[in-house]
Amino acid sequence: MNILKFFTAGSVDDGKSTLIGRMLYDTGSILADQLEALQSSNRKNDDGTIDLAILTDGLRAEREQGITIDVAYKYFQTDKRKFIIADTPGHIQYTRNMVTGASTARLAIILIDARNGVVEQTIRHSYLVSLLGIKHIVVCINKMDMVDYSETVFTAITEKYRALAAQLNLNDVNFIPVSALKGDNVVQKSERMVWYEGQSLLHFLETVEIEANDDARLSRFPVQWVIRPQTDELHDYRGYAGRIAAGTFRVNDRVTVLPGGSSSVISKIEMFDQQPQEAHAGQSVTIHLEDDIDISRGDLIVNAANQPLQSKMIEADLCWMDARALDTSLTYFLQHNSKLTRCKISEIIYKVDINTLEKHSSDEFKLNDIGRVVIKTADELPFDLYDESRENGAAILVDSRNNLTVGAVMFRAAVA
Amino acid sequence: MSRYNLDYLDELEAEAIHILREVAGQFEKPALLFSGGKDSITLVRLAEKAFRPGKFPFPLVHIDTGHNFEETIDYRDRMIERIGERLIVGHVQDSIDQGKVIEQTGKNASRNALQTVTLLDTISAHGFDACIGGARRDEEKARAKERIFSVRDEFGQWDPKRQRPELWNIYNGRIHKGENVRVFPISNWTELDVWNYIRREGIELPSIYFAHERDCIVRNGQWMAASPFLNMDEEDVVYHKKVRFRTVGDMSCTAAVESDADQIDDIIAEISASKISERGARLDDKVSEAAMEDRKKGGYF
């Protein structure tokens, strides 16, 4: 059994919380005492049934305001898969929350209100999904009960959305007509939409194939920690501990250590009491090299046959996440895997109006702004393009004055 | 592209090890908060996987309320002996003796709330800049929104509105002096995941997790272990029951569930079919719907 992390965007009005609540409820993921707390709550639907949206509202401030203001993680499982939902609010002022939630997801659910069709926020959410490199998309056309479960309405919306998906290079797009409120096509296939021949949402989520990120040509291993016991019996022990960011490493592979470019051969791979011959993306391991090289936290071990880009000038997409605007005269920290370096944003190439997808030039970059910039780093950075490796192609910006995380960075090109 | 996908326990384990190594790499003086419960026992196992054959780059810290189950303390001491790591104990009794907290009175008296003060004092006395804890997001809905690296101010407070965005698997542990970070490596695990991991790894647990015979009384509709810490009086009727505990907290606030599950397989079967969530057996969450949120703001684990 494996884990699928998915992301949901949508506003309160789309019934997103109800949809998630419905999945939890119908898969039996709500326990008796939680249900009791639900039933004693004074929020009910018009017909007196439990308001399932309460299940995903976390903080008291949110309950008072009736909105979701952060990223909430929810967990449920079926016989086939475990699911982690990153649930975020959909309004434009929560763009940074959506970017955060989308950053770890492999699949996105885009909610569309069947009465309204493709609207501004559909464009915005789809743009963010494409920006964050989520490859699999499920468009849930919700509130089908409000449009008499009409196939015509459903088809018209799918056609409109396909045009948007093409514009954003979203390839794997799937459409499901649902009513979260009534439960149609969420867990069980609905009998009220016999014209729909596809799967229910849950069945789709259980069976969609998510490709692994273990292309051996892109093998990347950021060193987090050097294990050196320095005891009598382990005097010469020196292991490089980290989590394989991408690709596959095998014993006897020739590797290069960046920065610096020293070369060596993997002599041993350890996973606690095991010594596998190979290890894959996502595994936390300890790697040993044949040669005694000076390696420390922040270094990157890569397959010698295919090295990442290296540059001090990088073109990147940036999402600004702080109330204090970007200051191009200021030095920020760039945190990329286990590496921390200083940087400046040397140029704002353009900003994107994420409601219309239009690009325009701008001198300022404020909370929730997204656009293309040039980052100038103090140290040469070994990186991959975000589209090729999410793990080695992303970074965060940290304000050196208050230590806040202020920017999400996706590398798009090395500047010559 | 090939289809190498990690099994869910392997993926959760790899993520937790990555987080522990980030703590080692980013902080000067981290500590692992050890309660004697299954979640922190799991953390110890993960730390062994992250750092062996080296030593842990942090000590274990136990906040001892003085109302612990004897079995928990026995377990703790044997475990420390086995792993050969350093243990620091902060005593709530010391905080009481120093007049920093006042012992509660009455039937619902508990030292649970007092331990926050002892914890914060222990953190500042040792200058810990990161405290690793075993909290999980599935435990409670306020926790569902907490970051893996959760920054606390010098009063130990968590501000849900000022959380740092946490993107990809990049954790920002930069802090100012006086602040510290609570780190939750098993945030993404569920109760069942922890149990399945304990079974897979063959990890030993304190005996109170397994069904055993014990004198119990009823408090607030739940079974509590009869003990001098409960302020019992003649109205309390003692029943001899076969019970087990789903969490390991204070004897004054950890409720038992009736159970025959004396093997880990039985426990997993019981939880899979359970109708009461784990925190449902913690009286300290019951005070109000926002109870957990309030305690976290005040520096609770």
Side-chain angles (χ1 to χ4, degrees):
Chain A
M1 189 159 66
N2 58 31
I3 301 177
L4 174 62
K5 291 188 185 178
F6 68 92
F7 159 73
T8 52
S11 67
V12 188
D13 307 333
D14 301 323
K16 172 180 58 93
S17 295
T18 309
L19 180 75
I20 295 172
R22 172 63 66 184
M23 272 193 280
L24 299 175
Y25 188 81
D26 283 5
T27 56
S29 308
I30 303 169
L31 300 165
D33 55 339
Q34 295 167 333
L35 198 58
E36 193 186 308
L38 263 184
Q39 277 160 341
S40 63
S41 162
N42 52 19
R43 261 172 62 183
K44 293 278 194 291
N45 292 317
D46 296 339
D47 58 0
T49 53
I50 304 167
D51 180 359
L52 295 172
I54 302 173
L55 288 170
T56 56
D57 288 357
L59 303 175
R60 180 157 54 186
E62 299 173 354
R63 287 200 291 283
E64 283 162 3
Q65 295 168 34
I67 51 159
T68 316
I69 49 175
D70 204 278
V71 186
Y73 296 92
K74 283 280 156 191
Y75 303 81
F76 72 102
Q77 75 179 85
T78 67
D79 294 341
K80 301 194 178 68
R81 219 171 220 167
K82 285 186 65 77
F83 298 96
I84 301 178
I85 313 173
D87 177 24
T88 69
H91 290 113
I92 192 153
Q93 69 265 37
Y94 303 120
T95 297
R96 69 169 188 160
N97 307 72
M98 285 186 269
V99 167
T100 303
S103 73
T104 53
R106 306 296 299 271
L107 177 146
I109 294 179
I110 303 256
L111 267 170
I112 292 179
D113 186 327
R115 296 169 302 177
N116 306 330
V118 174
V119 294
E120 195 174 80
Q121 77 159 12
T122 318
I123 299 172
R124 191 165 73 234
H125 297 164
S126 303
Y127 171 75
L128 294 176
V129 162
S130 119
L131 181 79
L132 272 294
I134 299 179
K135 300 269 186 292
H136 305 278
I137 291 139
V138 184
V139 179
C140 281
I141 297 168
N142 191 23
K143 304 199 182 178
M144 289 300 293
D145 54 308
M146 310 282 275
V147 295
D148 298 326
Y149 299 103
S150 158
E151 182 180 12
T152 318
V153 170
F154 175 76
T155 308
I157 294 173
T158 59
E159 280 168 13
K160 190 120 186 258
Y161 191 88
R162 277 186 216 284
L164 175 66
Q167 192 185 350
L168 291 169
N169 291 318
L170 299 172
N171 298 318
D172 182 26
V173 181
N174 307 273
F175 299 93
I176 303 178
V178 303
S179 165
L181 191 67
K182 310 281 181 195
D184 296 289
N185 286 335
V186 179
V187 171
Q188 303 296 336
K189 271 213 71 180
S190 171
E191 288 166 6
R192 289 180 280 222
M193 288 176 273
V194 284
W195 48 264
Y196 171 69
E197 290 172 352
Q199 310 167 74
S200 72
L201 174 61
L202 183 70
H203 190 247
F204 179 84
L205 295 174
E206 285 180 326
T207 52
V208 60
E209 274 203 56
I210 303 295
E211 65 284 353
N213 177 23
D214 64 346
D215 186 342
R217 291 167 306 158
L218 272 176
S219 299
R220 309 286 184 250
F221 182 76
V223 176
Q224 291 182 271
W225 181 251
V226 181
I227 299 178
R228 290 203 66 191
Q230 292 178 299
T231 54
D232 287 344
E233 67 269 30
L234 293 166
H235 192 267
D236 295 323
Y237 185 103
R238 183 194 279 263
Y240 305 107
R243 189 177 190 190
I244 299 174
T248 299
F249 286 91
R250 294 183 184 84
V251 173
N252 294 326
D253 272 0
R254 178 151 287 280
V255 294
T256 301
V257 183
L258 300 168
S262 315
S263 174
S264 189
V265 170
I266 294 178
S267 58
K268 186 166 66 172
I269 299 173
E270 283 183 299
M271 288 177 65
F272 191 49
D273 52 2
Q274 297 164 39
Q275 294 190 8
Q277 285 302 298
E278 60 178 58
H280 307 271
Q283 291 185 305
S284 283
V285 301
T286 303
I287 285 179
H288 295 254
L289 301 181
E290 279 180 4
D291 306 279
D292 202 2
I293 305 172
D294 180 23
I295 298 176
S296 53
R297 174 176 167 83
D299 290 346
L300 186 69
I301 297 176
V302 306
N303 189 315
N306 187 308
Q307 301 198 10
L309 300 165
Q310 290 184 72
S311 178
K312 284 184 168 184
M313 293 280 272
I314 307 170
E315 208 177 294
D317 281 325
L318 172 66
C319 172
W320 196 255
M321 310 192 120
D322 195 41
R324 240 198 276 208
L326 166 69
D327 182 342
T328 51
S329 70
L330 212 66
T331 298
Y332 292 90
F333 287 114
L334 185 83
Q335 194 174 339
H336 172 238
N337 287 317
S338 55
K339 166 104 178 161
L340 195 71
T341 183
R342 289 173 195 275
C343 76
K344 280 187 172 183
I345 306 301
S346 62
E347 187 189 345
I348 298 171
I349 303 175
Y350 58 77
K351 277 204 315 199
V352 177
D353 179 330
I354 63 172
N355 287 329
T356 62
L357 309 183
E358 282 165 10
K359 295 168 185 169
H360 56 94
S361 61
S362 174
D363 292 334
E364 55 170 25
F365 226 89
K366 294 185 299 193
L367 179 64
N368 294 322
D369 279 350
I370 293 175
R372 185 66 57 93
V373 298
V374 175
I375 300 176
K376 187 178 170 188
T377 56
D379 302 323
E380 194 167 68
L381 214 64
F383 68 97
D384 291 290
L385 302 185
Y386 186 77
D387 285 341
E388 282 168 23
S389 170
R390 227 179 181 185
E391 287 70 19
N392 200 41
I396 58 168
L397 283 182
V398 176
D399 190 322
S400 55
R401 297 165 296 184
N402 56 17
N403 298 325
L404 294 180
T405 301
V406 294
V409 173
M410 288 141 281
F411 298 133
R412 301 299 184 190
V415 179
Chain B
M1 215 170 249
S2 62
R3 301 250 166 271
Y4 188 87
N5 272 306
L6 293 180
D7 173 71
Y8 76 101
L9 283 180
D10 290 329
E11 183 170 341
L12 292 171
E13 178 190 67
E15 178 183 68
I17 292 171
H18 173 253
I19 293 162
L20 287 169
R21 288 168 170 171
E22 280 303 290
V23 174
Q26 290 194 36
F27 295 92
E28 299 285 322
K29 235 187 149 188
L32 189 152
L33 302 179
F34 182 79
S35 69
K38 67 179 192 314
D39 299 314
S40 58
I41 290 168
T42 297
L43 286 181
V44 170
R45 174 68 173 182
L46 292 164
E48 289 184 284
K49 293 207 171 192
F51 303 110
R52 292 291 185 245
K55 297 279 277 184
F56 293 0
F58 39 71
L60 276 62
V61 171
H62 182 222
I63 301 304
D64 186 349
T65 58
H67 290 177
N68 281 294
F69 289 89
E70 197 180 304
E71 294 89 336
T72 309
I73 302 297
D74 287 350
Y75 178 92
R76 179 195 74 188
D77 294 343
R78 276 187 294 114
M79 187 200 74
I80 290 296
E81 176 86 27
R82 178 181 65 78
I83 63 174
E85 300 287 344
R86 194 154 75 97
L87 173 72
I88 293 168
V89 180
H91 296 277
V92 170
Q93 188 63 50
D94 291 347
S95 304
I96 294 170
D97 295 344
Q98 290 159 10
K100 290 186 168 171
V101 292
I102 295 171
E103 184 100 63
Q104 296 174 0
T105 55
K107 277 212 165 188
N108 288 320
S110 160
R111 287 185 169 184
N112 195 59
L114 311 187
Q115 64 181 332
T116 301
V117 172
T118 313
L119 172 68
L120 296 180
D121 282 353
T122 307
I123 290 172
S124 89
H126 292 269
F128 295 128
D129 52 4
C131 294
I132 302 159
R136 292 178 280 107
R137 287 177 178 147
D138 81 321
E139 283 179 76
E140 209 279 340
K141 54 191 176 180
R143 291 203 180 203
K145 304 203 171 183
E146 183 149 18
R147 304 294 184 255
I148 289 172
F149 272 37
S150 181
V151 180
R152 306 299 173 95
D153 65 17
E154 61 181 309
F155 302 101
Q157 297 184 106
W158 177 61
D159 182 351
K161 292 237 168 93
R162 290 194 62 242
Q163 298 200 89
R164 296 174 181 178
E166 202 160 68
L167 295 125
W168 297 289
N169 55 1
I170 307 174
Y171 306 103
N172 171 9
R174 294 188 66 84
I175 47 170
H176 287 296
K177 214 160 176 55
E179 293 175 332
N180 66 82
V181 176
R182 302 288 166 84
V183 178
F184 304 112
I186 57 168
S187 284
N188 283 326
W189 300 41
T190 63
E191 184 186 18
L192 200 54
D193 295 335
V194 173
W195 279 107
N196 278 317
Y197 187 74
I198 287 168
R199 173 165 63 180
R200 188 184 85 170
E201 299 289 314
I203 299 169
E204 192 203 333
L205 290 180
S207 56
I208 60 168
Y209 276 112
F210 301 95
H212 58 284
E213 310 232 335
R214 181 183 285 275
D215 286 341
C216 296
I217 61 166
V218 179
R219 278 285 161 88
N220 298 330
Q222 305 206 63
W223 291 111
M224 304 293 291
S227 80
F229 310 129
L230 275 186
N231 296 332
M232 289 163 57
D233 58 30
E234 56 281 1
E235 284 175 21
D236 288 311
V237 183
V238 176
Y239 299 86
H240 195 69
K241 304 295 285 184
K242 193 165 188 189
V243 295
R244 64 180 197 85
F245 294 86
R246 295 184 67 176
T247 65
V248 169
D250 254 14
M251 292 192 83
S252 61
C253 71
T254 306
V257 290
E258 285 189 81
S259 171
D260 288 320
D262 53 6
Q263 302 292 323
I264 194 159
D265 288 344
D266 301 335
I267 290 176
I268 288 173
E270 200 181 275
I271 293 166
S272 305
S274 174
K275 295 284 175 256
I276 298 180
S277 74
E278 183 182 23
R279 285 219 155 251
R282 290 287 281 262
L283 299 180
D284 44 320
D285 286 343
K286 290 231 150 167
V287 184
S288 77
E289 205 189 344
M292 176 65 97
E293 194 180 333
D294 289 340
R295 278 183 307 145
K296 286 173 75 75
K297 283 181 178 168
Y300 185 76
F301 304 104

